[in-house]
Amino acid sequence: MRINTEDFRRQARKSLPRFVFDYIEGAADDGHCLRRNLSDLAAVELTPRILRDTTAVDTSIEVFGRKWALPFGIAPTGLNGLVRPRGDGLLATAAARNGILFALSTASNMRLEDVRAGAPDGMHWMQLYVMHRDMAGQIVERAARSGYEALVLTVDVPVSGNREPDLRNGFRMPFKPTAKLAWDVVTHPRWSMRMLPNGAPDFANLTTAGGDAGSANVQAALLARAMDRSVVWDTLAWLRGLWRGPLLLKGVLHPDDARLALDHGVDGLIVSNHGGRQNDASPSAISALPRVVAAIDGRIPVFMDGGIRRGGDIAKALALGASAAFLGRPALYGLATDGAEGAEAVIKLLAAELLRTMTLLGATSVSALPGALEGASGNFT
Ligand SMILES: Cc1cc2nc3c(=O)[nH]c(=O)nc-3n(C[C@H](O)[C@H](O)[C@H](O)COP(=O)(O)O)c2cc1C
Ligand SMILES: O=C(O)C(=O)c1ccccc1
């Protein structure tokens, strides 16, 4: 029986080749930031209000003029094709079936057009890494043409974080698998060495971009996270010229950067430390959130990700000012366990937990959640 996201995590560990599970779990350096995301969420207190009519509890929100049935979405994660063939298509299907958002990574193993076409009723955002301006420009244009509703520029990967498990496994570019990695793969029921870089059908399609961006050089750059480090605040004007829809920055932690984002006309922020995979000394996402929310002062929506493992964690993020929260690893645990059905099970689990939490708090809508901070101590505010 799988009754919480930890159960799905355990199943994912059993189902996946070791190097894939390590890649998903991977945190930078010593994993302090990853643990802080979890422990700081655990420390938030929400105080119930009693004797309120909770016959009807509404979990829906509105974002950029669209209604979301639930106040969470699926964060962009690269290489979902390692977890399951066509992993992004499966996640997009699970999201669409539950009225939530799916964000597609630049490092997808599927073409962005195919992900959209597989879930035409779904809501999709496109995440952007800029490795080469030409390629980034192509991705943005194709995302616009295919109906992606917002563009999310990830700003916390000027260089890859130090992921030591990946190094030990030989999961890096150039790809030199350790003997143990190769053994885990050849003995795995759904896997073969053909599925790995330098040969693999799924990797051969790596990207998103397809077309020119499918070239070996670009794939290698993407896997090595070799980003264009000359991307700066002024570069946003170039993106603005290519993209008419909402433009978000993902990976904002400093309130001054939040103010700079406002000055540069950004439409939304995602407070995130990349799930603890980049700078290990970064503050937890939940502790950085109220500072950013205060700096933004309601002018644009502020989202968060990092450490959400329970519906109650989503309630905490919303109470501290997030417009919605995003799931990184938990969606992948569901995907690894049972494809689209597994991802859906995780979404439904978190939805049920959130509904119960809101009922316990006496909060009949998400806008009532900040009220639950009253009467509590130690909430980063
Ligand atoms: C396996 C994996 C791959 C990721 N790839 C990307 C990516 O391609 N682009 C991006 O902006 N963030 C990426 N992230 C970060 C997530 O979008 C998100 O910030 C993070 O996973 C949230 O933390 P959580 O896993 O604790 O929920 C990745 C995270 C994981 C776990
Ligand atoms: O691993 C990651 O966190 C990530 O962002 C990424 C970037 C490029 C390729 C694959 C994953």
Side-chain angles (χ1 to χ4, degrees), residues 27-40 253 272-285 306-307 329:
D29 297 348
D30 300 303
H32 295 304
C33 181
L34 172 65
R35 282 190 300 276
R36 225 168 4 252
N37 278 347
L38 302 171
S39 60
D40 281 357
L253 294 167
S272 171
N273 52 38
H274 214 100
R277 295 162 74 83
Q278 290 297 110
N279 172 43
D280 200 23
S282 285
S284 68
R329 296 178 184 87

PDB file of all heavy atoms in Angstrom, residues 27-40 253 272-285 306-307 329:
ATOM      1  N   ALA A  27      21.829  15.854  -4.679  1.00  0.00           N
ATOM      2  CA  ALA A  27      21.905  17.200  -4.139  1.00  0.00           C
ATOM      3  C   ALA A  27      23.356  17.644  -4.277  1.00  0.00           C
ATOM      4  O   ALA A  27      24.237  16.826  -4.518  1.00  0.00           O
ATOM      5  CB  ALA A  27      21.474  17.209  -2.680  1.00  0.00           C
ATOM      6  N   ALA A  28      23.585  18.946  -4.129  1.00  0.00           N
ATOM      7  CA  ALA A  28      24.946  19.460  -4.243  1.00  0.00           C
ATOM      8  C   ALA A  28      25.733  19.167  -2.966  1.00  0.00           C
ATOM      9  O   ALA A  28      25.172  19.118  -1.867  1.00  0.00           O
ATOM     10  CB  ALA A  28      24.911  20.959  -4.492  1.00  0.00           C
ATOM     11  N   ASP A  29      27.014  18.970  -3.131  1.00  0.00           N
ATOM     12  CA  ASP A  29      27.955  18.842  -2.017  1.00  0.00           C
ATOM     13  C   ASP A  29      27.448  17.869  -0.946  1.00  0.00           C
ATOM     14  O   ASP A  29      27.331  16.686  -1.189  1.00  0.00           O
ATOM     15  CB  ASP A  29      28.260  20.221  -1.394  1.00  0.00           C
ATOM     16  CG  ASP A  29      28.936  21.169  -2.378  1.00  0.00           C
ATOM     17  OD1 ASP A  29      29.374  20.702  -3.444  1.00  0.00           O
ATOM     18  OD2 ASP A  29      29.004  22.368  -2.094  1.00  0.00           O
ATOM     19  N   ASP A  30      27.123  18.409   0.237  1.00  0.00           N
ATOM     20  CA  ASP A  30      26.786  17.550   1.379  1.00  0.00           C
ATOM     21  C   ASP A  30      25.298  17.423   1.650  1.00  0.00           C
ATOM     22  O   ASP A  30      24.894  16.820   2.644  1.00  0.00           O
ATOM     23  CB  ASP A  30      27.494  18.081   2.633  1.00  0.00           C
ATOM     24  CG  ASP A  30      29.006  18.077   2.441  1.00  0.00           C
ATOM     25  OD1 ASP A  30      29.553  17.000   2.148  1.00  0.00           O
ATOM     26  OD2 ASP A  30      29.623  19.154   2.540  1.00  0.00           O
ATOM     27  N   GLY A  31      24.475  18.017   0.792  1.00  0.00           N
ATOM     28  CA  GLY A  31      23.030  17.868   0.948  1.00  0.00           C
ATOM     29  C   GLY A  31      22.425  18.710   2.053  1.00  0.00           C
ATOM     30  O   GLY A  31      21.286  18.478   2.472  1.00  0.00           O
ATOM     31  N   HIS A  32      23.176  19.732   2.522  1.00  0.00           N
ATOM     32  CA  HIS A  32      22.626  20.581   3.595  1.00  0.00           C
ATOM     33  C   HIS A  32      21.377  21.326   3.127  1.00  0.00           C
ATOM     34  O   HIS A  32      20.376  21.402   3.832  1.00  0.00           O
ATOM     35  CB  HIS A  32      23.668  21.607   4.060  1.00  0.00           C
ATOM     36  CG  HIS A  32      24.867  20.986   4.694  1.00  0.00           C
ATOM     37  ND1 HIS A  32      24.784  20.139   5.768  1.00  0.00           N
ATOM     38  CD2 HIS A  32      26.186  21.079   4.397  1.00  0.00           C
ATOM     39  CE1 HIS A  32      26.008  19.741   6.117  1.00  0.00           C
ATOM     40  NE2 HIS A  32      26.868  20.296   5.291  1.00  0.00           N
ATOM     41  N   CYS A  33      21.493  21.892   1.922  1.00  0.00           N
ATOM     42  CA  CYS A  33      20.382  22.719   1.410  1.00  0.00           C
ATOM     43  C   CYS A  33      19.132  21.865   1.203  1.00  0.00           C
ATOM     44  O   CYS A  33      18.022  22.283   1.550  1.00  0.00           O
ATOM     45  CB  CYS A  33      20.833  23.382   0.113  1.00  0.00           C
ATOM     46  SG  CYS A  33      19.624  24.456  -0.637  1.00  0.00           S
ATOM     47  N   LEU A  34      19.323  20.677   0.642  1.00  0.00           N
ATOM     48  CA  LEU A  34      18.196  19.764   0.443  1.00  0.00           C
ATOM     49  C   LEU A  34      17.516  19.453   1.781  1.00  0.00           C
ATOM     50  O   LEU A  34      16.292  19.532   1.910  1.00  0.00           O
ATOM     51  CB  LEU A  34      18.684  18.462  -0.209  1.00  0.00           C
ATOM     52  CG  LEU A  34      17.676  17.329  -0.326  1.00  0.00           C
ATOM     53  CD1 LEU A  34      16.534  17.703  -1.249  1.00  0.00           C
ATOM     54  CD2 LEU A  34      18.354  16.058  -0.835  1.00  0.00           C
ATOM     55  N   ARG A  35      18.312  19.138   2.789  1.00  0.00           N
ATOM     56  CA  ARG A  35      17.723  18.816   4.102  1.00  0.00           C
ATOM     57  C   ARG A  35      17.059  20.040   4.722  1.00  0.00           C
ATOM     58  O   ARG A  35      16.043  19.932   5.404  1.00  0.00           O
ATOM     59  CB  ARG A  35      18.796  18.252   5.046  1.00  0.00           C
ATOM     60  CG  ARG A  35      19.124  16.784   4.760  1.00  0.00           C
ATOM     61  CD  ARG A  35      20.010  16.184   5.849  1.00  0.00           C
ATOM     62  NE  ARG A  35      21.284  16.898   5.954  1.00  0.00           N
ATOM     63  CZ  ARG A  35      22.344  16.645   5.196  1.00  0.00           C
ATOM     64  NH1 ARG A  35      22.308  15.705   4.280  1.00  0.00           N
ATOM     65  NH2 ARG A  35      23.463  17.332   5.352  1.00  0.00           N
ATOM     66  N   ARG A  36      17.676  21.229   4.490  1.00  0.00           N
ATOM     67  CA  ARG A  36      17.071  22.460   5.024  1.00  0.00           C
ATOM     68  C   ARG A  36      15.689  22.700   4.409  1.00  0.00           C
ATOM     69  O   ARG A  36      14.769  23.134   5.096  1.00  0.00           O
ATOM     70  CB  ARG A  36      17.993  23.646   4.713  1.00  0.00           C
ATOM     71  CG  ARG A  36      18.176  24.531   5.870  1.00  0.00           C
ATOM     72  CD  ARG A  36      19.239  25.590   5.852  1.00  0.00           C
ATOM     73  NE  ARG A  36      20.028  25.795   4.672  1.00  0.00           N
ATOM     74  CZ  ARG A  36      21.317  25.459   4.556  1.00  0.00           C
ATOM     75  NH1 ARG A  36      21.952  24.865   5.550  1.00  0.00           N
ATOM     76  NH2 ARG A  36      21.972  25.725   3.457  1.00  0.00           N
ATOM     77  N   ASN A  37      15.557  22.428   3.112  1.00  0.00           N
ATOM     78  CA  ASN A  37      14.229  22.573   2.488  1.00  0.00           C
ATOM     79  C   ASN A  37      13.198  21.771   3.265  1.00  0.00           C
ATOM     80  O   ASN A  37      12.089  22.241   3.517  1.00  0.00           O
ATOM     81  CB  ASN A  37      14.268  22.066   1.039  1.00  0.00           C
ATOM     82  CG  ASN A  37      14.821  23.086   0.054  1.00  0.00           C
ATOM     83  OD1 ASN A  37      14.962  24.265   0.374  1.00  0.00           O
ATOM     84  ND2 ASN A  37      15.127  22.626  -1.139  1.00  0.00           N
ATOM     85  N   LEU A  38      13.560  20.547   3.638  1.00  0.00           N
ATOM     86  CA  LEU A  38      12.617  19.656   4.326  1.00  0.00           C
ATOM     87  C   LEU A  38      12.419  20.074   5.777  1.00  0.00           C
ATOM     88  O   LEU A  38      11.279  20.181   6.261  1.00  0.00           O
ATOM     89  CB  LEU A  38      13.121  18.206   4.263  1.00  0.00           C
ATOM     90  CG  LEU A  38      13.349  17.632   2.853  1.00  0.00           C
ATOM     91  CD1 LEU A  38      14.063  16.283   2.933  1.00  0.00           C
ATOM     92  CD2 LEU A  38      12.042  17.495   2.091  1.00  0.00           C
ATOM     93  N   SER A  39      13.522  20.349   6.486  1.00  0.00           N
ATOM     94  CA  SER A  39      13.382  20.592   7.929  1.00  0.00           C
ATOM     95  C   SER A  39      12.752  21.967   8.196  1.00  0.00           C
ATOM     96  O   SER A  39      12.017  22.133   9.175  1.00  0.00           O
ATOM     97  CB  SER A  39      14.725  20.443   8.645  1.00  0.00           C
ATOM     98  OG  SER A  39      15.655  21.368   8.145  1.00  0.00           O
ATOM     99  N   ASP A  40      13.023  22.953   7.326  1.00  0.00           N
ATOM    100  CA  ASP A  40      12.389  24.261   7.542  1.00  0.00           C
ATOM    101  C   ASP A  40      10.884  24.193   7.258  1.00  0.00           C
ATOM    102  O   ASP A  40      10.095  24.865   7.930  1.00  0.00           O
ATOM    103  CB  ASP A  40      13.056  25.349   6.684  1.00  0.00           C
ATOM    104  CG  ASP A  40      14.364  25.841   7.301  1.00  0.00           C
ATOM    105  OD1 ASP A  40      14.712  25.380   8.405  1.00  0.00           O
ATOM    106  OD2 ASP A  40      15.043  26.677   6.678  1.00  0.00           O
ATOM    107  N   LEU A 253      16.153  33.942  -4.746  1.00  0.00           N
ATOM    108  CA  LEU A 253      16.199  33.768  -3.288  1.00  0.00           C
ATOM    109  C   LEU A 253      16.394  35.097  -2.559  1.00  0.00           C
ATOM    110  O   LEU A 253      16.027  35.229  -1.397  1.00  0.00           O
ATOM    111  CB  LEU A 253      17.335  32.798  -2.904  1.00  0.00           C
ATOM    112  CG  LEU A 253      17.149  31.344  -3.369  1.00  0.00           C
ATOM    113  CD1 LEU A 253      18.453  30.561  -3.212  1.00  0.00           C
ATOM    114  CD2 LEU A 253      16.026  30.655  -2.592  1.00  0.00           C
ATOM    115  N   SER A 272      13.235  29.385  -5.316  1.00  0.00           N
ATOM    116  CA  SER A 272      13.717  28.015  -5.440  1.00  0.00           C
ATOM    117  C   SER A 272      15.221  27.978  -5.253  1.00  0.00           C
ATOM    118  O   SER A 272      15.924  28.918  -5.642  1.00  0.00           O
ATOM    119  CB  SER A 272      13.376  27.488  -6.853  1.00  0.00           C
ATOM    120  OG  SER A 272      13.992  26.241  -7.101  1.00  0.00           O
ATOM    121  N   ASN A 273      15.729  26.901  -4.658  1.00  0.00           N
ATOM    122  CA  ASN A 273      17.173  26.653  -4.671  1.00  0.00           C
ATOM    123  C   ASN A 273      17.464  25.402  -5.492  1.00  0.00           C
ATOM    124  O   ASN A 273      18.448  24.710  -5.267  1.00  0.00           O
ATOM    125  CB  ASN A 273      17.731  26.568  -3.246  1.00  0.00           C
ATOM    126  CG  ASN A 273      16.945  25.575  -2.399  1.00  0.00           C
ATOM    127  OD1 ASN A 273      16.523  24.521  -2.891  1.00  0.00           O
ATOM    128  ND2 ASN A 273      16.752  25.889  -1.128  1.00  0.00           N
ATOM    129  N   HIS A 274      16.584  25.123  -6.442  1.00  0.00           N
ATOM    130  CA  HIS A 274      16.784  24.010  -7.379  1.00  0.00           C
ATOM    131  C   HIS A 274      16.786  22.669  -6.633  1.00  0.00           C
ATOM    132  O   HIS A 274      17.510  21.740  -6.964  1.00  0.00           O
ATOM    133  CB  HIS A 274      18.102  24.205  -8.134  1.00  0.00           C
ATOM    134  CG  HIS A 274      18.097  23.705  -9.552  1.00  0.00           C
ATOM    135  ND1 HIS A 274      17.941  24.519 -10.634  1.00  0.00           N
ATOM    136  CD2 HIS A 274      18.253  22.448 -10.066  1.00  0.00           C
ATOM    137  CE1 HIS A 274      18.007  23.795 -11.750  1.00  0.00           C
ATOM    138  NE2 HIS A 274      18.188  22.535 -11.434  1.00  0.00           N
ATOM    139  N   GLY A 275      15.963  22.592  -5.597  1.00  0.00           N
ATOM    140  CA  GLY A 275      15.891  21.343  -4.840  1.00  0.00           C
ATOM    141  C   GLY A 275      17.215  20.980  -4.174  1.00  0.00           C
ATOM    142  O   GLY A 275      17.513  19.799  -3.976  1.00  0.00           O
ATOM    143  N   GLY A 276      18.001  22.004  -3.802  1.00  0.00           N
ATOM    144  CA  GLY A 276      19.280  21.735  -3.131  1.00  0.00           C
ATOM    145  C   GLY A 276      20.341  21.174  -4.054  1.00  0.00           C
ATOM    146  O   GLY A 276      21.337  20.617  -3.589  1.00  0.00           O
ATOM    147  N   ARG A 277      20.167  21.334  -5.361  1.00  0.00           N
ATOM    148  CA  ARG A 277      21.091  20.725  -6.321  1.00  0.00           C
ATOM    149  C   ARG A 277      22.162  21.685  -6.812  1.00  0.00           C
ATOM    150  O   ARG A 277      23.022  21.301  -7.595  1.00  0.00           O
ATOM    151  CB  ARG A 277      20.295  20.190  -7.525  1.00  0.00           C
ATOM    152  CG  ARG A 277      19.364  19.062  -7.151  1.00  0.00           C
ATOM    153  CD  ARG A 277      18.281  18.834  -8.194  1.00  0.00           C
ATOM    154  NE  ARG A 277      18.704  18.206  -9.425  1.00  0.00           N
ATOM    155  CZ  ARG A 277      18.838  16.889  -9.599  1.00  0.00           C
ATOM    156  NH1 ARG A 277      18.623  16.073  -8.582  1.00  0.00           N
ATOM    157  NH2 ARG A 277      19.184  16.391 -10.753  1.00  0.00           N
ATOM    158  N   GLN A 278      22.112  22.949  -6.387  1.00  0.00           N
ATOM    159  CA  GLN A 278      23.072  23.929  -6.903  1.00  0.00           C
ATOM    160  C   GLN A 278      24.008  24.432  -5.805  1.00  0.00           C
ATOM    161  O   GLN A 278      25.040  23.862  -5.582  1.00  0.00           O
ATOM    162  CB  GLN A 278      22.300  25.049  -7.612  1.00  0.00           C
ATOM    163  CG  GLN A 278      21.661  24.570  -8.927  1.00  0.00           C
ATOM    164  CD  GLN A 278      22.714  24.128  -9.925  1.00  0.00           C
ATOM    165  OE1 GLN A 278      22.868  22.950 -10.242  1.00  0.00           O
ATOM    166  NE2 GLN A 278      23.503  25.068 -10.406  1.00  0.00           N
ATOM    167  N   ASN A 279      23.659  25.525  -5.131  1.00  0.00           N
ATOM    168  CA  ASN A 279      24.521  26.067  -4.081  1.00  0.00           C
ATOM    169  C   ASN A 279      24.099  25.477  -2.733  1.00  0.00           C
ATOM    170  O   ASN A 279      23.004  25.755  -2.255  1.00  0.00           O
ATOM    171  CB  ASN A 279      24.389  27.600  -4.055  1.00  0.00           C
ATOM    172  CG  ASN A 279      25.091  28.207  -2.871  1.00  0.00           C
ATOM    173  OD1 ASN A 279      26.200  27.809  -2.531  1.00  0.00           O
ATOM    174  ND2 ASN A 279      24.445  29.167  -2.230  1.00  0.00           N
ATOM    175  N   ASP A 280      24.983  24.682  -2.137  1.00  0.00           N
ATOM    176  CA  ASP A 280      24.579  23.954  -0.928  1.00  0.00           C
ATOM    177  C   ASP A 280      24.364  24.874   0.272  1.00  0.00           C
ATOM    178  O   ASP A 280      23.758  24.471   1.252  1.00  0.00           O
ATOM    179  CB  ASP A 280      25.621  22.874  -0.588  1.00  0.00           C
ATOM    180  CG  ASP A 280      25.056  21.797   0.329  1.00  0.00           C
ATOM    181  OD1 ASP A 280      23.803  21.628   0.351  1.00  0.00           O
ATOM    182  OD2 ASP A 280      25.846  21.131   1.036  1.00  0.00           O
ATOM    183  N   ALA A 281      24.867  26.098   0.188  1.00  0.00           N
ATOM    184  CA  ALA A 281      24.708  27.021   1.320  1.00  0.00           C
ATOM    185  C   ALA A 281      23.456  27.888   1.192  1.00  0.00           C
ATOM    186  O   ALA A 281      23.200  28.737   2.044  1.00  0.00           O
ATOM    187  CB  ALA A 281      25.942  27.914   1.447  1.00  0.00           C
ATOM    188  N   SER A 282      22.675  27.689   0.140  1.00  0.00           N
ATOM    189  CA  SER A 282      21.487  28.526  -0.042  1.00  0.00           C
ATOM    190  C   SER A 282      20.491  28.320   1.092  1.00  0.00           C
ATOM    191  O   SER A 282      20.400  27.231   1.659  1.00  0.00           O
ATOM    192  CB  SER A 282      20.793  28.191  -1.370  1.00  0.00           C
ATOM    193  OG  SER A 282      21.517  28.728  -2.453  1.00  0.00           O
ATOM    194  N   PRO A 283      19.736  29.391   1.396  1.00  0.00           N
ATOM    195  CA  PRO A 283      18.663  29.217   2.375  1.00  0.00           C
ATOM    196  C   PRO A 283      17.594  28.282   1.821  1.00  0.00           C
ATOM    197  O   PRO A 283      17.494  28.091   0.608  1.00  0.00           O
ATOM    198  CB  PRO A 283      18.105  30.634   2.536  1.00  0.00           C
ATOM    199  CG  PRO A 283      18.500  31.367   1.307  1.00  0.00           C
ATOM    200  CD  PRO A 283      19.780  30.747   0.823  1.00  0.00           C
ATOM    201  N   SER A 284      16.818  27.720   2.710  1.00  0.00           N
ATOM    202  CA  SER A 284      15.703  26.885   2.264  1.00  0.00           C
ATOM    203  C   SER A 284      14.723  27.750   1.477  1.00  0.00           C
ATOM    204  O   SER A 284      14.621  28.960   1.700  1.00  0.00           O
ATOM    205  CB  SER A 284      14.996  26.265   3.462  1.00  0.00           C
ATOM    206  OG  SER A 284      14.345  27.266   4.210  1.00  0.00           O
ATOM    207  N   ALA A 285      14.007  27.112   0.570  1.00  0.00           N
ATOM    208  CA  ALA A 285      13.032  27.861  -0.244  1.00  0.00           C
ATOM    209  C   ALA A 285      11.948  28.453   0.652  1.00  0.00           C
ATOM    210  O   ALA A 285      11.552  29.616   0.475  1.00  0.00           O
ATOM    211  CB  ALA A 285      12.428  26.941  -1.304  1.00  0.00           C
ATOM    212  N   GLY A 306      10.646  23.205  -3.711  1.00  0.00           N
ATOM    213  CA  GLY A 306      11.736  22.724  -2.877  1.00  0.00           C
ATOM    214  C   GLY A 306      11.238  22.127  -1.585  1.00  0.00           C
ATOM    215  O   GLY A 306      10.872  22.849  -0.660  1.00  0.00           O
ATOM    216  N   GLY A 307      11.174  20.810  -1.549  1.00  0.00           N
ATOM    217  CA  GLY A 307      10.871  20.115  -0.301  1.00  0.00           C
ATOM    218  C   GLY A 307       9.416  19.781  -0.066  1.00  0.00           C
ATOM    219  O   GLY A 307       9.058  19.259   0.997  1.00  0.00           O
ATOM    220  N   ARG A 329      10.870  16.244  -7.195  1.00  0.00           N
ATOM    221  CA  ARG A 329      11.095  14.804  -7.048  1.00  0.00           C
ATOM    222  C   ARG A 329       9.821  13.977  -6.834  1.00  0.00           C
ATOM    223  O   ARG A 329       9.720  12.879  -7.407  1.00  0.00           O
ATOM    224  CB  ARG A 329      12.102  14.551  -5.921  1.00  0.00           C
ATOM    225  CG  ARG A 329      13.501  15.123  -6.238  1.00  0.00           C
ATOM    226  CD  ARG A 329      14.465  14.907  -5.085  1.00  0.00           C
ATOM    227  NE  ARG A 329      15.772  15.517  -5.285  1.00  0.00           N
ATOM    228  CZ  ARG A 329      16.088  16.780  -4.974  1.00  0.00           C
ATOM    229  NH1 ARG A 329      15.174  17.587  -4.450  1.00  0.00           N
ATOM    230  NH2 ARG A 329      17.310  17.239  -5.169  1.00  0.00           N
TER     231      ARG A 329
END
